[in-house]
Amino acid sequence: MADDRDREGTEIAVAEFHKKIKDAFEVFDHESNNTVDVREIGTIIRSLGCCPSEGELHDLIAEVEEEEPTGYIRFEKFLPVMTEVLLERRYRPIPEDTLHRAFEVLDPAKRGFLSKEELIKHMTGEGEPFSQEEMEEMLSAAIDPESNSIHYKDYITMMVIDEN
Amino acid sequence: MGSGTSTQHHFAFQNAEKAFKAAVLIQRWYRRYMARLEMRRHCTWSIFQSIEYAGQQDQVKLHNFFSYLVDHFTPNNHNERDFLNRMFTEERSPQDSEMENCRDYESIEVPDSYTGPRLSFPLLPDHATALVEAFRVKQRLHARYVLNLLYEARKHLVQLPNINRVSTCYSEEITVCGDLHGQLDDLIFIFYKNGLPSPERAYVFNGDFVDRGKDSVEILMVLFAFMLVYPKEFHLNRGNHEDHMVNLRYGFTKEVMHKYKTHGKKILKLLQDVFCWLPLATLVDEKVLILHGGVSDMTDLEFLAKLDRHKIVSTMRCKTRKEDKKQAEEKGKANQTSSAGTPSPWFLPQSHSLPTSPLCPSTQKAHRAGRSSSVPCRVPLDPKELSHWVRHSVDLELEKCRQQAGFPEIKEKEEPLPLASEADPEAEGRREPTQEEWRQVVDILWSDPMAQEGCKANTIRGGGCYFGPNVTERLLQKYNLQFLIRSHECKPEGYEFCHSRKVLTIFSASNYYEVGSNRGAYVKLGPALSPHIVQFQANKATHTLTMRQRISRVGESALRALREKLFAHSSDLLVEFKKRDKDKTGLITLSDWAAAVESVLHLGLPWRMLRPQLVSSLTDNKLEYKSWLKNLAKEQFSHENIQSSLLEALYRNRSNLETIFRIIDSDHSGFISLDEFRQTWKLFSSHMNIDVTDDCICDLARSIDFNKDGHIDINEFLEAFRLVEQSCSKGYASDCQATNTNNSDCSSPDIH
């Protein structure tokens, strides 16, 4: 009995996920032929609530690509993979305090801020480096022009409010 | 032992590893944030586009409805005939003899106090430049000079062929610009950045100079001035907005009447003619074809080159030459039998703005074997054939509408009573285009490219078609062309290549939907005609905004427009919600919400993606729809009791209403009589399926600042409804009483 209810619950969840995934996919399906450019897959996956790293994203793309990559991802392949991701709650978003601690790691002196140069060094030199465009965009919003630094606690708060 | 060093190394390594991991975390999080922003940007774009196109469809439907009325309605008395007649007198393009009357601009005095630019003809380059400068500092050109310039422009345009041939061997460069839509700042910016027109610097402006923006008049003046000064180097193409019927809805008519109160009507009349004389396309070096919309699989450049473009007054409505009556009758009978199970007629009032094809597919197949798709917005069947078909299935429905509209019962007739001016078929033949001529022009001005192969009706816009890469390829090969430049569609980057770079869309009105919504662009054709794109955004403010701020600003604007649309369909939405709430819990799932909303609005938007911005509170993952609808209304009016279906209907049909009024007000005086107001209202409400009593209408009229001389200032009337929103939100809640259409005692809003 419990199993049946569980299964039913999962079925409903799956149906919901399917619709969500379809909606997000369609936004980028410019030719209305159930394909999207592979370069948009990251945006789609992330807007569905997931927060994969670039590496994880590449793995996902490999799963949904054709044997001979065409530059396009088909919905038929994307749907089951993405549904699994959502069901398994993979690539969960990062909680605020975890994010804060990450910034603190880069700010060992615990000043509460990072200088512009430090931020650039870390974001473009380490991890999964930002492109120049990404870096510029982050700087434009994050840097306090007077001190030329990013007060990360405030920055995080602002971005989180923005999202909602 | 080196344990110390190795420990140091160990720590150092650990720290580096931690920093690495921290960096990854931050980057991961940031990329997700940006992705969500990107998604929002795309959704916002969809909202704006779908609302824009829905408006265009409405426009088409409205005109189709009137067209049908004119062709089939038999007015029983003088007043009614006049009433309908008046709506379409504007269709008649002035005869050449009438054009001479336009020289009477010479009699217009320019007062000494006038400090604006003065023009003398023939124009010199300096005059044109001075004009640009004058407009830049917000001066206004006197009506006399406007008329004079238009008159001279017309003289020049008449000499041009339909397809203007341009050669780059004389000018060193040629720049092509797309839609400007009354945005003078963009034009000035282009001239500033690219340089003013000159014998060495040729320009082609690809249509849609007017409507929507606030400086359409000034743009036209500048463009015509340069055209006169550099006739060999400065070229204009007609766009779908160079059309007096479209102008009624999209703001140009209003702008002219507002800026030129005394002579506006004359200006509009002359413009109507000038627009018809604009060339349809420009061909550069026999290699690059520039036209406003696109092409269809039936596009025939030779045919287009030969037709009399002046006969196509408006692409919105086509009174075409009637076929031989006998032939038509035969065809009609044939169609009757073939179209079993006829779909519902397109012209009858529908509660949704769905892009149902204005054609009945079965009749189309039977009738138009040769043509694959390109569809004009109006039914291609001869009105005679249509009337046969219609009579078979919908007379009753139509009767009901007519009765509602207060027109007396129509007796069965074999053919519609011709309106007075149609009496002479020969004269008519001279002035009216054929079906094929009209269709070819509509295709050029209204079509959009699509990614799939083929050619199908452009039901989103209601006119022209969607053409695929194979259509482009075939056309380019047939006429030995290199590529196609077109405009007509707003693009986020101001331009877009498609069809393997054989089609370039160029759009020059930046910030078209909203500040920050898109860039503008122009294209320069260099040696070998290779295209070089230049982008711009004529608003300094946007440069200082971050992408985040820009997107959220534009997004807010789009959402506001969307919420207004949702509110305007409250009643229909409620019906759909209730359908999905069989147990009457007052709650529905988000899935049902999305389905219901789409089924009413038909905007094709990703509702689930938009949901967080449209639905804020959920109970147990379900939505309490009644209070959601109430909140929507509250946003619009900040008043609890607005359940007014009348107000809602007005909101929904605001631009239709405005358009109808402007059509009625054929002399553009801004006034219509109370009687006309009542007739208009009845027509309107029967078309829009609103149930409003006569008393309500009278009250409505009276509550507007209604002169005793029996005239209504339509501008005041329209403003009143915008004011309702503002005054209500300012807290005059008591003034805004709900108009309860169920009661005969109707208290209309106190509008001031």
Side-chain angles (χ1 to χ4, degrees), chain B residues 8-25:
Chain B
Q8 270 176 11
H9 282 317
H10 179 69
F11 271 129
F13 181 76
Q14 266 195 331
N15 285 342
E17 203 189 343
K18 272 211 282 195
F20 186 94
K21 284 199 178 131
V24 171
L25 206 82

Side-chain angles (χ1 to χ4, degrees), chain A residues 59-79:
Chain A
D59 291 340
L60 261 178
I61 291 180
E63 265 188 77
V64 297
E65 252 180 344
E66 309 290 320
E67 272 90 57
E68 305 240 353
T70 58
Y72 285 96
I73 305 295
R74 287 186 299 120
F75 184 64
E76 300 86 60
K77 279 204 119 181
F78 183 68
L79 184 65

Side-chain angles (χ1 to χ4, degrees), chain B residues 574-704:
Chain B
L574 188 60
V575 167
E576 288 296 320
F577 290 152
K578 284 196 172 143
K579 267 194 222 167
R580 291 165 170 80
D581 177 23
K582 300 238 161 64
D583 300 333
K584 300 214 201 322
T585 58
L587 302 166
I588 49 168
T589 64
L590 288 174
S591 210
D592 284 334
W593 172 82
V597 172
E598 180 57 26
S599 77
V600 171
L601 286 190
H602 292 285
L603 289 174
L605 291 173
W607 294 105
R608 271 175 210 85
M609 291 273 107
L610 297 169
R611 203 264 314 150
Q613 276 105 314
L614 295 172
V615 177
S616 47
S617 60
L618 297 171
T619 325
D620 195 24
N621 245 355
K622 285 196 171 181
L623 166 69
E624 244 194 276
Y625 52 87
K626 285 208 186 108
S627 53
W628 179 72
L629 284 171
K630 247 202 222 142
N631 281 333
L632 272 182
K634 236 194 257 186
E635 264 169 45
Q636 305 296 325
F637 295 107
S638 302
H639 180 75
E640 307 255 303
N641 298 333
I642 305 289
Q643 283 296 310
S644 161
S645 62
L646 174 64
L647 280 175
E648 186 191 310
L650 281 170
Y651 240 81
R652 174 167 57 230
N653 296 292
R654 215 149 63 181
S655 14
N656 279 340
L657 189 56
E658 181 167 351
T659 308
I660 293 178
F661 275 135
R662 290 201 192 283
I663 294 178
I664 302 297
D665 177 28
S666 54
D667 62 358
H668 301 296
S669 62
F671 291 100
I672 56 177
S673 71
L674 174 57
D675 205 48
E676 285 173 331
F677 175 80
R678 263 209 293 263
Q679 299 245 39
T680 309
W681 188 266
K682 279 182 173 166
L683 199 64
F684 173 75
S685 54
S686 77
H687 172 66
M688 301 296 166
N689 228 359
I690 307 168
D691 245 324
V692 176
T693 68
D694 222 3
D695 286 337
C696 264
I697 296 176
C698 291
D699 282 349
L700 207 57
R702 225 178 296 129
S703 67
I704 297 154

